[in-house]
């Protein structure tokens, strides 16, 4: 067995791209382990934990390569593959004329290359505020996909945006639709009369998918970030987003989806919504508030279309053993919604993102009783891609829960869309087949999503999972299974 | 809200390539940033500075000030008159430094200047007196003056005096001595001193007469023309030199001076392709000083080297220097000289790049790209890269090859640190040893450290 560590300076690639390169290297004959990553503290620790020697004096702008292989030949093959993968560089169809055009090193430089309206930022959270300030200075509406941006920086950015009349979406804005174009983890939606203002990601995606399910289109969905309605941020982006939607004649109904705002912020938003000329549905999520499915039903009523209950795929209800409910989510809002329903039916639940009055899991995230994990939480995504792209962490946990004798039912969400994993269902379906534990899935997607909503649902149902297009309905069925097992 | 169908939307993407791919697959055009992390260790300072609400407006103001400043040659006078410079007090290039840290070329130039002023009889005596601390030194920038290479100015040296009517600032620069063994490259042999005496006795007074008769000469306008004629204003000043001479000629001819002197003056000026550099530099100084002292601005207003340290000044921080070790230029050497013979970077002439020409206007000077070790396409790429480091363009100075785009103007400290790309400076190289003179020419960059320190200081001035 041969091990080799190499440092390449001055070569930056994004973490998702490097993850793919690492994976391709590991797949080579004779290569047992490989890591190609930027030398962040986290990645260096990772390299060491993989049994490689710690490289000296590296900075996050250095690329580190660790390869473990059967022999020198395999190392050489890995190097050849690495060189060609890195030489290929970023793909994609920019506006570069391919001659001697210098690629833009900053957002402002890019905005000077071609007239643009919007910036989409997914740079590392620690420095994303720098890029966002640059985008606002360039006069662009800005979406920050990156998480781990501090609330102080968020407020400062939103003040700059307000100074200049620009919309800042995020930080941690997973989803947006602007003029029918999906940004980030967006679903493919058909144009229609609805405009959405949503905290961040999966709540908005779920609402769009539910509306799509009854044929209601969405023209814009503006994400404002999970903290926008907090006392610190004072709904700065929500108010701008409401004005933008109000000014758009194609929008006849506005929906606001958010966790319950701080009291004084709720007043601000309600007062602002009352001044708009467009009808506005406020859909706050929380104890005693309607769930997303109920909100979708209210929107359908406002638009004047009839409501049909969201679909369910799957066979008869399986038998389940005694034990606890385990929720494994990639969507924070979906996890919150499921916990709200579960808490009201089953009592206090534990989580890494506990509700008020909920139990917080310790750092080991060991399940205790009814337990819900959000794999998309900031703390779980430091230095790694979001679980909608890289499902490995959740798959590992899923297998562990399925094998756990104290687990009665597993509740999962799967989120489809343009930037999500190409086929999230198949790995999950394979695990569902291997174990007897019942699995209930909330499948969030639209008719036009590239993964194929029907195909994903069918693959899961055929493996024995119970699949719902409504997260609330999925949660209720999972709870019913837990209850029946206890009876 | 952005109106119309998706085809009208163009999105700038920075970060994960998959989001750009997802947009392209929806038929949306993207401009993808070739993003790299900021220079390690500068993240917090950069964030504070980028989030400073004054920054964008302050930088716009700095750009306007820089590109609207005027620069007219109004007089030619000795330094004691133009700058109140006393005998025994000397100006030098770059940030402040003490005699013990001065490099060979600067020591050589000071030795020559001491001899020229009659403050010592021999070079040895001059050096002994300098060593003994008999004289005082000050950066030329502190007096609103600039000097190429060693930049040494003593009280009886003749100066060009340029004036900006917009701001009422004045900037001065010595008269260019030509190439080879010259004081500014650290040479102090008798031929150097003899030439300086002729410049004081004949050249200076003749140009004073010509300038006073001709009236203010608009140097900004001559620069606008020269950069359309293949001069970048730092390492090539051929067209500018001849255009200036053309302005002076009628007055020189009618001056009543001995025709031999007039012929000598004309031959000296027209025989020195760099003569006009010493007018470009104070013109650039007037532009950059106009942009200095704007709170919150991250625009660089000075880049200058003393052969030991490279120093920059930033608009929002006024006259504070931020220094790092000066680098040795990369380029071509004269004769048998090599890298070991070259002194680290020296001179105030990087004021030209600070004002957006020199290395920044490389695209307009294809004739000299081989001299500084590059190809024509490198020159075009350099200017394109410099646009990305600058807050804007100077419409008065248009580059024909760039489709008459203005020169890249106003280096932004934050852009340098965010991209890790440094301003490119075209420069001459002085010999390491005092007395040698010029050994080559090439390209050089400031040390990143200057920008790191400036960003930290800018961050400290951001009110919370």
């Amino acid at each position: 067995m041969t091990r080799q560590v190499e440092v390449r300076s001055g070569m930056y690639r994004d973490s998702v791209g490097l993850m793919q390169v690492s994976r391709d290297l590991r797949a080579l004959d004779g290569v047992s382990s490989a890591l190609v990553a930027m030398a962040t503290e986290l990645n260096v620790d990772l390299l060491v934990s993989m049994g490689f020697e710690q490289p000296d004096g590296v900075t996050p702008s250095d690329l580190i390569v660790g390869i473990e292989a059967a022999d020198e030949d395999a190392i050489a093959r890995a190097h050849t593959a690495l060189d060609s993968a890195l030489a290929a560089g970023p793909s994609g169809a920019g506006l570069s004329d391919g001659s001697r055009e210098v690629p833009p090193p900053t957002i402002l430089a890019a905005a000077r290359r071609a007239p643009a309206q919007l910036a989409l930022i997914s740079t590392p959270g620690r420095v994303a505020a720098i890029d966002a300030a640059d985008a606002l200075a360039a006069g662009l509406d800005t979406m920050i996909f990156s998480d781990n941006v501090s609330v102080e920086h968020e407020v400062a950015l939103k003040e700059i945006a307000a100074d200049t009349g620009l919309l800042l979406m995020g930080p941690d804005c997973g989803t947006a639709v602007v003029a029918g174009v999906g940004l980030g983890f967006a679903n493919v939606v058909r144009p229609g009369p609805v405009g959405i203002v949503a905290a961040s990601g999966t709540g908005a995606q779920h609402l769009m998918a539910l509306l799509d399910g009854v044929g209601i289109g969405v023209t814009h969905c503006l994400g404002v970030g999970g903290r926008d309605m907090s006392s610190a941020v004072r709904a700065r982006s929500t108010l701008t987003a409401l004005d933008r939607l109000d000014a758009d004649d194609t929008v006849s109904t506005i929906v606001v989806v958010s966790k319950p705002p701080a009291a004084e912020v709720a007043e601000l938003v309600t007062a602002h919504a009352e001044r708009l000329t467009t009808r506005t549905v406020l859909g706050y999520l929380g104890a005693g508030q309607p769930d997303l499915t109920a909100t979708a039903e209210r929107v359908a009523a406002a638009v004047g279309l009839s409501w049909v209950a969201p679909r369910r795929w799957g066979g008869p209800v399986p038998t389940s053993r005694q034990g606890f409910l385990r929720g494994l989510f990639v969507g924070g809002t979906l996890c919150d919604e499921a916990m709200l329903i579960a808490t009201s039916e089953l009592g206090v639940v534990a989580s890494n993102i506990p509700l008020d009055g909920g139990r917080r899991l310790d750092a080991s995230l060991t399940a205790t009783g009814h337990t819900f994990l959000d794999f998309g939480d900031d703390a779980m995504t430091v230095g790694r891609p979001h679980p909608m792209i890289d499902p490995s962490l959740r798959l590992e946990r899923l297998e562990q829960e399925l094998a756990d004798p104290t687990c009665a039912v597993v509740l999962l969400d799967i989120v489809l869309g343009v930037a999500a994993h190409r086929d999230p269902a198949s790995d999950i379906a394979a695990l569902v087949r291997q174990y007897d534990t019942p699995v209930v899935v909330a499948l969030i997607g639209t008719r036009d999503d590239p993964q194929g909503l029907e195909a994903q649902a069918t693959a899961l149902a055929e493996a024995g999972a119970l699949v719902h297009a409504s997260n609330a309905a999925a949660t209720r069925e999972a709870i019913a299974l837990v209850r029946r097992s206890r009876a | 809200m952005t109106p119309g169908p998706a085809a009208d939307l163009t999105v700038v993407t920075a970060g994960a390539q998959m989001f750009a791919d997802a947009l392209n697959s929806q038929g949306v055009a993207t401009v993808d940033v070739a993003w790299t992390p900021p220079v390690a260790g500068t993240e917090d300072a950069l964030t504070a500075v980028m989030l400073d609400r004054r920054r964008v407006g302050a930088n716009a103001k700095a750009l306007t000030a820089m590109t609207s400043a005027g620069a007219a040659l109004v007089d030619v006078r000795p330094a004691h008159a133009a700058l109140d410079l006393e005998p025994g007090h000397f100006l030098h290039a770059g940030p402040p430094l003490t005699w013990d840290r001065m490099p060979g070329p600067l020591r050589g130039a000071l030795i020559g200047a001491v001899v020229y002023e009659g403050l010592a009889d021999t070079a040895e005596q001059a050096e002994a007196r300098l060593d003994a601390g008999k004289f005082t030194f000050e950066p030329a920038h502190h007096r609103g003056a600039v000097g190429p290479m060693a930049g040494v100015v003593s009280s009886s040296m003749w100066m060009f005096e340029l004036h900006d009517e917009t701001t009422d600032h004045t900037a001065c620069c010595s008269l260019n001595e030509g190439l080879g063994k010259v004081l500014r490259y650290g040479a102090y042999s008798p031929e150097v001193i003899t030439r300086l005496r002729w410049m004081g006795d004949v050249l200076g007074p003749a140009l004073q007469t010509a300038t006073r008769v001709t009236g203010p000469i608009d140097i900004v306008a001559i620069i606008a023309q020269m950069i359309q004629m293949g001069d970048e204003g730092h390492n090539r000043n051929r067209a500018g030199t001849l255009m200036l001479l053309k302005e002076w000629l009628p007055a020189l001819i009618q001056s009543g001076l001995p025709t031999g002197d007039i012929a000598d003056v004309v031959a000296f000026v027209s025989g020195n392709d760099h003569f006009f550099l010493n007018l470009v530099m104070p013109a650039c100084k007037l532009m950059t000083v106009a942009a200095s002292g704007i709170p919150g601005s991250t625009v660089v207003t000075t880049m200058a080297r003393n052969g030991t340290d490279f120093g920059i000044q930033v608009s929002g921080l006024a006259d504070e220097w931020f220094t790092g070790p000066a680098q040795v230029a990369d380029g071509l050497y004269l004769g048998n000289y090599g890298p070991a013979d070259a002194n680290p970077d020296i001179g105030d002439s990087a004021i030209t790049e600070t004002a957006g020409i020199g290395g920044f206007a490389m695209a307009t000077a294809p004739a000299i790209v081989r001299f500084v070790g590059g190809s024509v396409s490198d020159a075009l790429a350099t200017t394109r890269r410099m646009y990305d480091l600058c807050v804007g363009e100077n419409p008065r100075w248009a580059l024909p090859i760039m489709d008459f785009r203005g020169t890249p103007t106003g280096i932004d400290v934050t852009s340098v640190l965010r991209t890790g790309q440094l301003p490119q400076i075209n420069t001459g190289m002085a010999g390491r040893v005092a007395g040698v003179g010029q050994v080559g020419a090439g390209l050089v960059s400031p040390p990143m450290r200057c920008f790191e320190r400036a960003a930290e200081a800018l961050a400290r001035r951001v009110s919370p």
Side-chain angles (χ1 to χ4, degrees):
Chain A
M1 193 60 69
T2 309
R3 272 210 191 105
Q4 198 191 61
V5 175
E6 187 197 341
V7 177
R8 299 190 183 192
S9 297
M11 177 177 265
Y12 178 81
R13 294 286 188 277
D14 72 72
S15 60
V16 179
L18 289 178
M19 213 185 67
Q20 285 160 352
V21 174
S22 305
R23 189 193 56 202
D24 293 347
L25 294 192
R26 281 196 290 272
L28 293 174
D29 251 3
V31 176
S32 48
S33 145
L35 177 75
V36 183
M38 299 313 296
T40 59
E41 200 178 322
L42 190 118
N43 285 333
V44 171
D45 288 350
L46 181 63
L47 186 76
V48 172
S49 75
M50 290 167 71
F52 290 98
E53 218 171 284
Q54 169 143 14
D56 286 330
V58 290
T59 75
S61 0
D62 298 322
L63 183 79
I64 44 171
V65 181
I67 299 169
E68 184 187 79
D71 50 38
E72 293 293 338
D73 278 358
I75 295 258
R77 280 198 303 278
H79 271 262
T80 310
L82 175 65
D83 290 341
S84 66
L86 293 177
S91 57
L95 294 181
S96 162
D97 67 5
S99 60
R100 279 194 290 266
E101 196 62 57
V102 174
T106 62
I107 290 175
L108 180 61
R112 288 174 180 165
R113 302 282 197 278
Q117 297 81 35
L118 192 73
L120 170 49
I121 295 168
S122 55
T123 56
R126 187 172 171 217
V127 294
I130 296 173
D131 295 302
D134 196 28
L136 294 171
L140 304 178
D141 286 334
T142 300
M143 167 167 164
I144 308 176
F145 176 87
S146 322
D147 55 11
N148 290 298
V149 174
S150 78
V151 71
E152 293 77 17
H153 294 163
E154 176 175 348
V155 170
L157 286 167
K158 287 183 174 177
E159 280 175 351
I160 293 172
D163 286 350
T164 45
L166 295 168
L167 176 65
L168 185 82
M169 296 188 273
D172 197 12
C173 176
T175 300
V177 175
V178 173
V181 174
L183 296 153
F185 288 126
N187 299 90
V188 179
V189 288
R190 300 183 186 186
V194 175
I196 300 173
V197 180
S200 52
T202 49
Q205 284 185 275
H206 192 20
L207 183 60
M208 284 191 281
L210 288 164
L211 294 174
D212 180 78
V214 290
I216 298 173
V218 174
T219 300
H220 309 291
C221 172
L222 308 179
V224 294
R227 293 182 302 226
D228 195 64
M229 297 267 206
S230 67
S231 309
V233 188
R234 295 185 61 78
R236 283 183 171 89
S237 288
T238 299
L239 302 184
T240 307
L242 284 171
D243 290 340
R244 294 287 188 96
L245 294 178
D246 195 38
D248 187 328
D249 294 340
T250 62
V251 174
S252 69
T253 301
I254 298 173
V255 196
V256 179
V257 194
S258 154
K259 286 173 195 164
E264 75 276 16
V265 178
E267 264 175 49
L268 208 64
V269 174
T270 306
H272 197 88
E274 278 166 4
R275 287 197 294 273
L276 302 179
T277 54
T278 313
R279 176 181 45 216
T280 303
V281 176
L282 297 176
Y284 297 137
L285 308 170
Q289 303 279 357
D291 57 49
L292 283 162
T293 307
T295 298
E297 193 173 347
R298 282 165 68 208
V299 174
V303 172
L305 279 170
S306 59
W307 178 252
V308 183
R311 293 184 61 185
R312 177 186 182 280
W313 294 264
V317 175
T319 53
S320 54
R321 57 176 171 250
Q322 278 203 333
F324 298 102
L325 176 58
R326 298 284 154 78
L328 306 179
F329 283 81
V330 297
T333 306
L334 300 175
C335 188
D336 276 347
E337 183 182 63
M339 287 198 288
L340 281 167
I341 296 169
T343 305
S344 69
E345 305 271 331
L346 300 171
V348 173
V349 302
S351 176
N352 62 329
I353 55 159
L355 299 171
D356 286 346
R359 210 165 50 243
R360 180 173 287 281
L361 290 172
D362 67 28
S364 72
L365 302 181
T366 311
T368 61
H370 303 300
T371 300
F372 287 76
L373 280 172
D374 173 19
F375 288 86
D377 182 49
D378 278 13
M380 306 269 273
T381 59
V382 177
R384 66 161 69 238
H386 195 277
M388 282 186 217
I389 310 169
D390 175 12
S392 53
L393 208 59
R394 182 170 76 158
L395 284 169
E396 219 172 273
R397 184 67 181 235
L398 173 60
E399 178 146 30
Q400 190 187 322
E401 295 297 346
L402 291 171
D404 180 353
T406 71
C407 170
V409 178
V410 177
L411 174 63
L412 296 174
D413 62 350
I414 292 179
V415 184
L416 309 181
V418 284
H421 193 279
R422 291 292 89 180
D423 177 20
S426 62
D427 284 342
I428 292 171
L431 286 174
V432 171
R433 266 181 224 283
Q434 282 177 44
Y435 294 89
D436 298 333
T437 316
V439 175
V440 184
V441 177
L443 178 62
I444 312 305
T446 64
R447 290 165 287 178
D448 300 326
D449 277 335
Q451 293 86 353
L453 178 66
E454 201 62 42
Q456 292 281 304
T458 308
L460 291 160
E462 280 175 357
L466 306 173
V467 184
H468 286 265
S470 157
N471 185 50
T475 307
R476 292 197 177 93
E477 175 147 30
I479 291 166
L481 287 171
V482 172
R483 284 217 166 113
R484 214 174 46 179
S485 70
R486 299 186 142 187
Chain B
M1 190 45 48
T2 316
D8 289 349
L9 188 66
T10 298
V11 180
V12 174
T13 69
Q17 181 64 35
M18 63 168 194
F19 291 129
D21 295 342
L23 283 164
N24 296 152
S25 74
Q26 297 174 73
V28 176
T30 59
V31 189
D32 305 338
V33 174
W35 192 87
T36 53
V39 171
T42 64
E43 298 87 348
D44 293 341
L46 267 178
T47 305
V49 174
M50 289 295 288
L51 291 174
D52 184 349
R53 284 163 91 171
R54 302 171 302 173
R55 181 181 62 94
V56 175
N59 284 347
K61 200 172 157 192
L63 178 67
T64 305
M66 213 184 269
T67 56
S68 54
L73 174 64
V74 291
D75 207 351
V76 184
R77 291 196 283 170
H80 58 76
L83 293 165
D84 290 328
L85 204 61
E86 317 249 315
H89 188 63
F90 298 89
L91 304 184
H92 63 78
L97 85 173
T98 47
W99 170 256
D100 56 299
R101 294 187 65 241
M102 283 187 190
L106 187 42
R107 286 172 176 241
L110 283 166
I111 290 167
V114 168
V115 172
Y116 171 66
E117 291 294 332
L119 299 167
D121 294 331
T122 63
E124 293 70 26
Q125 204 178 57
E127 186 165 12
R129 292 196 173 168
L130 284 158
D131 254 334
K134 300 285 185 204
F135 307 115
T136 50
F137 319 111
E138 186 184 8
H141 272 290
H142 292 189
R143 295 276 184 119
V146 278
M149 302 309 289
V152 166
V153 176
S154 60
S155 64
S156 33
M157 287 182 191
W158 283 63
M159 309 294 286
F160 291 122
E161 202 173 320
L162 276 65
H163 185 251
D164 173 13
E165 280 200 329
T166 322
T167 60
D168 201 27
H169 288 135
T170 298
C172 293
C173 187
S174 56
L175 315 188
N176 195 292
E177 313 158 72
L179 286 171
K181 285 220 181 283
V182 287
L183 189 80
R184 72 176 187 281
Y185 278 95
Y188 53 81
S189 55
E191 62 176 292
V192 175
I193 308 301
T194 305
R195 188 189 303 109
L196 286 175
R197 295 210 191 289
W198 175 80
M199 289 170 70
D201 295 342
V202 178
L203 181 67
L207 296 182
Q208 179 183 68
T209 304
T211 299
R212 288 180 177 178
V213 169
T214 309
I217 300 172
D218 186 346
I219 302 301
V220 172
I222 295 180
I223 296 172
Q225 293 177 62
M226 75 189 263
I227 63 176
Q228 301 203 0
M229 298 165 78
D231 284 356
E232 41 67 276
H234 191 167
N235 270 9
R236 184 177 154 107
N237 290 282
R238 179 170 290 185
T241 298
L242 295 177
M243 281 188 283
L244 176 63
L245 182 62
K246 187 171 63 117
E247 296 285 329
W248 276 327
L249 271 177
L252 272 178
I253 291 164
Q254 290 187 318
S255 63
L257 293 167
T259 50
D261 284 354
I262 295 174
D264 287 347
V265 166
V266 170
F268 183 81
V269 173
S270 60
N272 172 9
D273 288 342
H274 284 289
F275 193 80
F276 193 63
L277 172 64
N278 292 36
L279 289 123
V280 175
M281 286 175 56
C284 291
K285 175 64 181 170
L286 286 173
M287 289 170 62
T288 54
V289 80
S292 178
I294 299 168
S297 171
T298 58
V299 167
V300 176
T301 48
T302 305
M303 295 195 290
R305 317 84 100 194
N306 57 34
T308 299
D309 305 315
F310 194 116
I312 68 169
Q313 294 177 322
V314 178
S315 172
L317 303 164
D319 297 331
E320 201 174 334
W321 288 99
F322 302 95
T323 60
Q327 313 290 302
V328 173
D330 180 17
L332 296 184
Y333 290 88
L334 304 171
N336 288 327
Y337 291 121
D341 302 311
N343 195 78
D345 198 16
I346 186 166
D348 287 333
S349 56
I351 196 73
T352 59
E353 280 82 9
T354 317
I357 51 177
F360 283 44
M362 204 59 203
T364 207
I368 59 160
V369 294
R370 314 236 337 238
F371 182 54
V372 295
S375 65
V376 172
S377 55
D378 291 339
L380 293 168
T382 296
T383 294
R384 287 199 174 105
R385 276 205 320 277
M386 294 306 113
Y387 281 113
D388 293 335
L389 299 184
C390 286
V391 296
E393 299 171 11
N394 185 349
R396 295 191 303 193
W397 291 345
L399 302 173
I401 191 81
M402 306 302 287
D403 216 359
F404 293 95
R405 215 173 152 185
T407 43
T409 306
I411 303 161
D412 187 338
V413 170
T414 65
S415 300
V416 171
L417 291 172
R418 291 176 57 214
T419 62
Q421 295 183 19
L422 290 160
Q424 177 175 308
I425 296 164
N426 291 351
T427 194
M429 283 186 268
R432 188 178 279 280
V433 176
V436 167
Q438 184 173 17
V439 298
L443 307 178
V444 74
S445 288
M448 191 61 84
R449 199 152 163 206
C450 301
F451 298 90
E452 294 170 8
R453 288 178 164 175
E456 283 159 17
L458 283 163
R460 284 195 294 273
R461 306 285 175 90
V462 179
S463 47

